Amino acid sequence: KKDEFIKTFNVVNQNFKDIFPLLSEGEGELVLENPSDPFSGGLVFRASIRDKKNQKLAAMSGGEKTLTALAFVFAVQRYLPAPFYAFDEVDMHLDGPNVEKLAKMINIQAKQTQFIVVSLRKPMIDSADRMIGVTQKGKGVTKISGVSLKEEIKQEAG
Amino acid sequence: KKDEFIKTFNVVNQNFKDIFPLLSEGEGELVLENPSDPFSGGLVFRASIRDKKNQKLAAMSGGEKTLTALAFVFAVQRYLPAPFYAFDEVDMHLDGPNVEKLAKMINIQAKQTQFIVVSLRKPMIDSADRMIGVTQKGKGVTKISGVSLKEEIKQEAG
Amino acid sequence: MRIKQLEIDNFKSFANQNTIPFLDGFTVVSGPNGSGKSNIIDCILFALGLSTSRELRSEQGAGDLISTHNKRNEASVRVTFALDDEDELIITRKIKRTSHGVQSTYYMNDKQCTFTQVCSELEKYNITSNSHNVIMQGHVTTIANCSPKERRQYLDEIA
Amino acid sequence: MRIKQLEIDNFKSFANQNTIPFLDGFTVVSGPNGSGKSNIIDCILFALGLSTSRELRSEQGAGDLISTHNKRNEASVRVTFALDDEDELIITRKIKRTSHGVQSTYYMNDKQCTFTQVCSELEKYNITSNSHNVIMQGHVTTIANCSPKERRQYLDEIA
Ligand SMILES: Nc1ncnc2c1ncn2[C@@H]1O[C@H](COP(=O)(O)OP(=O)(O)OP(=O)(O)O)[C@@H](O)[C@H]1O
Ligand SMILES: Nc1ncnc2c1ncn2[C@@H]1O[C@H](COP(=O)(O)OP(=O)(O)OP(=O)(O)O)[C@@H](O)[C@H]1O
Ligand SMILES: [Mg+2]
Ligand SMILES: [Mg+2]
């Protein structure tokens, strides 16, 4: 059991180290509170974004926490992908450039797995393969306004 | 005590009714759970955005809850203004058109009181009187990059 | 494996029948505030049994998930997965308001089954209520804000 | 009345002295993620005693509010209010790391005073820890999500 866990931890940690710099201009790694007996301790993030030294996770900003959390989700996905990912406005704390970085990252991960991402931010909408438009009709009834973008363009392009 | 409360409630409620339609295409009012003995009950929002009937507050979307909450804050401000308001990314759940509506509303309220609003959204940044730019210098030190925009333009215009 | 389509009937703001096709790769869902974007994510969580009523923003229980746009007392969501071998897996959940409260029924490939059967089938494909493959609105920083122990436990599950 | 300027010294990401002027009307604060925008709001909450350390994201107590960019063991924030009659009100808060923990001292118009004196002075101008005039990042929907009782209690205070 412990061996299994350590094996999983090492792969996910390596993924996290690879992915973190792509999402933020920084470095990050996963650290076990008690490596000799992992089940008695927890798992912490050791991350430093844009040359900041020893950042405490609790003191990070909303955007920095978002990038750290998503790097972990992607690190796990590379180890053991779920069949689909559904994200609801995960970019809400991010500034423009970071929305673009995240969108690029999703594009890479979406080669392996299906991503359904709700977003209001332009860089995210622009980089998707296709968009499902949702509007309200009449007194609050949802209407799906079609699947558009690159799919149709790709088909038209032949 | 009860009379004082009812008087305050009536004014704030009237403000809420006036402000809510400006922020959302809807109608809203404040309702006391127990009007004859207000201190034994609570205060609920009865709101319906864009012709939706009887919306339960818990079922509202992130954007709708944001507009309802802010309409209440502004309704109280009109009754008893604080000397300043400091909002940190209150527009994060809002779509483009609603960010614009909120920015217009803040512009109106800022005639009476000082507003300091942290935002990443373009419509909000564009409608402010001035912007304080914040950047990171070196290994994580905050640098204030100056106060710009309309203030300087106004002065230049003479 | 991926989600091939959602068939939503009278669930939340989806009055009447709606079918939403999903393709592979990166799909973005966008539209005005309150139009029903998060309700699409809620459809998936509801049908697969991954969330409680409270998490689906229906504080007074599952009855609030039935659309208020008409007088019908039932709602359902049917999720079709395209499997890697051209086969399909279909999970359906129906709720019905009765005099004894709200009844919820699950179906797998259109045959009635139990919630436990749905869970154990989905677990084969790494879909559990703990897998961070669905992140609800406002919850993106939860993984950063939770305790170190909770975070480690998540790795225990996938080891 | 309004905030006229903030003088920040060694607080969080503000290593060394910083002075930020504030004018009347609508000022927006913008910049990249992690640059220090919320820390400006934290300065105001800290100096006026409106928040706990935890709310200021310093889980291990007030010591975490002192900048890690140098070896200094103290930090301070000085808020200057412009009053309606051309007069000023200045509230300063200093923290110092000592061998017995972190000491916090308040000053009103540069004369040492107690936290209670600061609170009662600010109350005259409708600034309390319950007034929704400061909304922290991620908390905008709190007023919609809190209980009806809590919402009514808020009106009690201003009646
Ligand atoms: N049972 C129901 N019947 C009818 N409408 C409902 C029901 N439950 C919820 N709604 C409505 O659905 C809407 C919420 O939709 P949703 O949360 O999906 O919006 P959204 O597109 O995600 O918006 P945002 O961008 O603000 O997050 C609300 O206006 C709510 O009143
Ligand atoms: N005591 C401290 N010393 C040095 N830096 C600190 C200290 N406390 C917090 N910080 C740093 O301040 C930064 C956070 O700043 P802040 O939360 O103000 O960012 P922000 O501009 O609001 O970003 P976002 O747009 O993501 O919300 C973090 O990177 C954090 O590491
Ligand atoms: Mg939503
Ligand atoms: Mg911030």
Side-chain angles (χ1 to χ4, degrees):
Chain A
K1 184 139 175 68
K2 185 179 142 188
D3 294 344
E4 274 305 311
F5 177 83
I6 292 291
K7 227 175 65 204
T8 302
F9 171 77
N10 287 335
V11 175
V12 175
N13 191 14
Q14 189 50 50
N15 291 348
F16 187 76
K17 284 181 189 164
D18 297 341
I19 290 171
F20 195 78
L22 297 176
L23 274 183
S24 72
E25 302 151 43
E27 280 158 37
E29 64 175 334
L30 304 177
V31 176
L32 289 170
E33 286 182 330
N34 186 346
S36 54
D37 179 13
F39 301 111
S40 70
L43 174 74
V44 290
F45 295 122
R46 185 176 293 153
S48 97
I49 294 178
R50 280 196 299 185
D51 302 329
K52 295 175 187 176
K53 294 193 305 293
N54 306 332
Q55 263 179 301
K56 289 189 201 262
L57 185 69
M60 275 189 184
S61 79
E64 292 173 331
K65 278 185 185 164
T66 297
L67 297 174
T68 307
L70 289 173
F72 182 65
V73 172
F74 291 136
V76 168
Q77 183 215 349
R78 286 205 178 160
Y79 172 72
L80 189 67
F84 72 92
Y85 286 78
F87 290 166
D88 196 346
E89 299 191 25
V90 294
D91 52 7
M92 71 185 178
H93 287 292
L94 300 181
D95 58 31
N98 278 331
V99 176
E100 278 167 32
K101 278 202 195 103
L102 177 60
K104 262 204 204 100
M105 188 75 202
I106 292 177
N107 250 322
I108 299 170
Q109 305 288 88
K111 305 258 181 291
Q112 292 178 348
T113 323
Q114 180 183 45
F115 275 82
I116 300 166
V117 178
V118 176
S119 176
L120 301 172
R121 308 293 294 273
K122 196 162 154 25
M124 188 66 73
I125 295 168
D126 287 350
S127 60
D129 296 330
R130 71 197 67 82
M131 180 172 98
I132 293 178
V134 180
T135 56
Q136 176 185 324
K137 199 178 68 211
K139 296 201 181 317
V141 177
T142 294
K143 181 170 161 348
I144 304 295
S145 60
V147 181
S148 65
L149 286 195
K150 298 189 187 154
E151 212 59 29
E152 280 157 18
I153 299 168
K154 270 186 210 148
Q155 271 157 15
E156 270 157 26
Chain B
K1 183 125 174 77
K2 185 179 142 186
D3 293 345
E4 275 305 314
F5 178 84
I6 294 289
K7 226 176 64 204
T8 302
F9 171 76
N10 287 335
V11 175
V12 174
N13 191 14
Q14 188 50 50
N15 291 348
F16 187 77
K17 284 180 187 166
D18 297 341
I19 290 171
F20 194 77
L22 297 176
L23 274 182
S24 71
E25 301 151 42
E27 278 156 40
E29 64 175 337
L30 304 177
V31 176
L32 288 170
E33 287 182 330
N34 187 346
S36 53
D37 177 15
F39 300 111
S40 71
L43 174 71
V44 289
F45 296 120
R46 185 178 292 155
S48 95
I49 294 178
R50 280 193 289 167
D51 304 327
K52 296 176 187 176
K53 293 192 308 293
N54 308 333
Q55 264 180 300
K56 287 189 202 273
L57 184 70
M60 276 190 183
S61 79
E64 292 173 332
K65 278 184 184 165
T66 297
L67 297 175
T68 306
L70 289 173
F72 182 64
V73 172
F74 291 135
V76 168
Q77 184 215 350
R78 287 205 178 160
Y79 172 75
L80 189 68
F84 72 93
Y85 286 78
F87 289 167
D88 195 348
E89 299 193 25
V90 294
D91 52 6
M92 69 185 184
H93 288 291
L94 300 182
D95 58 30
N98 278 331
V99 176
E100 277 167 35
K101 277 203 196 104
L102 176 61
K104 262 204 206 100
M105 187 77 202
I106 291 176
N107 249 323
I108 298 169
Q109 306 288 93
K111 304 252 181 299
Q112 289 178 324
T113 322
Q114 181 183 45
F115 275 83
I116 300 166
V117 179
V118 175
S119 176
L120 301 173
R121 309 293 293 274
K122 198 161 151 30
M124 188 67 73
I125 294 168
D126 288 350
S127 58
D129 295 329
R130 72 199 67 80
M131 176 172 100
I132 293 179
V134 181
T135 56
Q136 175 185 323
K137 201 179 64 208
K139 296 201 181 317
V141 176
T142 295
K143 184 168 159 347
I144 305 295
S145 60
V147 180
S148 64
L149 283 195
K150 297 189 186 151
E151 208 60 28
E152 281 154 21
I153 300 168
K154 268 185 207 151
Q155 271 158 15
E156 270 159 29
Chain C
M1 182 179 177
R2 66 176 168 84
I3 294 181
K4 195 172 162 188
Q5 77 176 6
L6 282 186
E7 289 159 273
I8 310 167
D9 184 21
N10 213 36
F11 180 83
K12 283 200 162 191
S13 54
F14 293 92
N16 315 322
Q17 271 276 3
N18 280 273
T19 300
I20 310 177
F22 284 99
L23 296 162
D24 227 338
F26 181 5
T27 303
V28 80
V29 177
S30 204
N33 287 138
S35 55
K37 302 181 297 293
S38 296
N39 287 347
I40 293 175
I41 307 271
D42 288 351
C43 282
I44 298 170
L45 293 167
F46 163 79
L48 305 183
L50 297 175
S51 274
T52 64
S53 296
R54 217 195 133 60
E55 285 166 9
L56 296 176
R57 295 174 289 162
S58 55
E59 283 195 344
Q60 273 100 23
D64 282 354
L65 297 172
I66 300 170
S67 178
T68 58
H69 294 297
N70 51 47
K71 299 262 176 285
R72 294 173 58 196
N73 279 321
E74 58 189 14
S76 74
V77 175
R78 187 171 190 263
V79 182
T80 306
F81 289 102
L83 299 181
D84 296 340
D85 53 1
E86 298 301 318
D87 211 352
E88 285 184 354
L89 168 67
I90 302 171
I91 307 273
T92 311
R93 185 175 176 191
K94 290 189 180 167
I95 51 174
K96 202 172 180 165
R97 204 182 273 130
T98 68
S99 46
H100 313 298
V102 178
Q103 272 173 3
S104 163
T105 324
Y106 285 91
Y107 301 81
M108 199 185 303
N109 296 327
D110 297 325
K111 281 200 227 64
Q112 193 168 333
C113 68
T114 66
F115 172 56
T116 322
Q117 283 171 307
V118 168
C119 286
S120 62
E121 181 71 18
L122 290 176
E123 228 172 287
K124 289 184 205 154
Y125 302 103
N126 301 320
I127 302 174
T128 70
S129 59
N130 282 338
S131 56
H132 293 291
N133 67 323
V134 182
I135 300 180
M136 296 175 81
Q137 191 167 353
H139 291 202
V140 65
T141 52
T142 308
I143 302 170
N145 290 333
C146 73
S147 77
K149 248 209 160 68
E150 276 171 277
R151 217 175 286 137
R152 198 216 66 231
Q153 282 162 351
Y154 177 56
L155 273 195
D156 297 355
E157 298 216 356
I158 63 170
Chain D
M1 182 180 178
R2 65 175 170 84
I3 293 180
K4 192 172 165 186
Q5 76 175 8
L6 280 187
E7 289 160 273
I8 310 166
D9 184 19
N10 213 36
F11 181 84
K12 284 200 165 191
S13 53
F14 292 92
N16 314 323
Q17 272 277 4
N18 281 271
T19 300
I20 309 177
F22 285 98
L23 295 161
D24 227 339
F26 182 5
T27 301
V28 79
V29 176
S30 203
N33 287 137
S35 56
K37 302 182 295 296
S38 297
N39 287 347
I40 293 174
I41 309 270
D42 289 351
C43 282
I44 299 171
L45 292 167
F46 164 77
L48 305 183
L50 298 175
S51 275
T52 63
S53 295
R54 223 193 126 60
E55 286 165 7
L56 295 176
R57 294 175 290 162
S58 56
E59 282 194 346
Q60 275 101 23
D64 283 354
L65 297 172
I66 300 171
S67 177
T68 57
H69 293 298
N70 52 44
K71 298 259 176 285
R72 293 174 58 196
N73 279 321
E74 56 188 18
S76 73
V77 175
R78 188 171 190 263
V79 182
T80 306
F81 290 102
L83 300 180
D84 296 341
D85 53 1
E86 297 305 318
D87 211 350
E88 285 186 353
L89 169 67
I90 302 171
I91 307 273
T92 311
R93 184 175 175 191
K94 291 190 177 166
I95 50 175
K96 201 172 183 161
R97 202 184 272 132
T98 68
S99 48
H100 311 296
V102 178
Q103 274 173 3
S104 164
T105 324
Y106 286 90
Y107 301 81
M108 198 183 305
N109 297 328
D110 297 324
K111 277 202 230 65
Q112 193 168 332
C113 67
T114 65
F115 173 54
T116 324
Q117 285 170 308
V118 169
C119 287
S120 61
E121 181 70 20
L122 290 176
E123 229 172 283
K124 288 183 205 155
Y125 302 102
N126 301 320
I127 302 173
T128 71
S129 59
N130 282 337
S131 56
H132 294 290
N133 67 322
V134 181
I135 299 178
M136 295 176 81
Q137 191 167 353
H139 291 204
V140 65
T141 53
T142 308
I143 303 171
N145 290 332
C146 74
S147 75
K149 246 213 163 64
E150 273 171 281
R151 218 174 285 134
R152 196 216 67 231
Q153 281 162 350
Y154 178 56
L155 274 195
D156 297 355
E157 294 208 1
I158 61 170

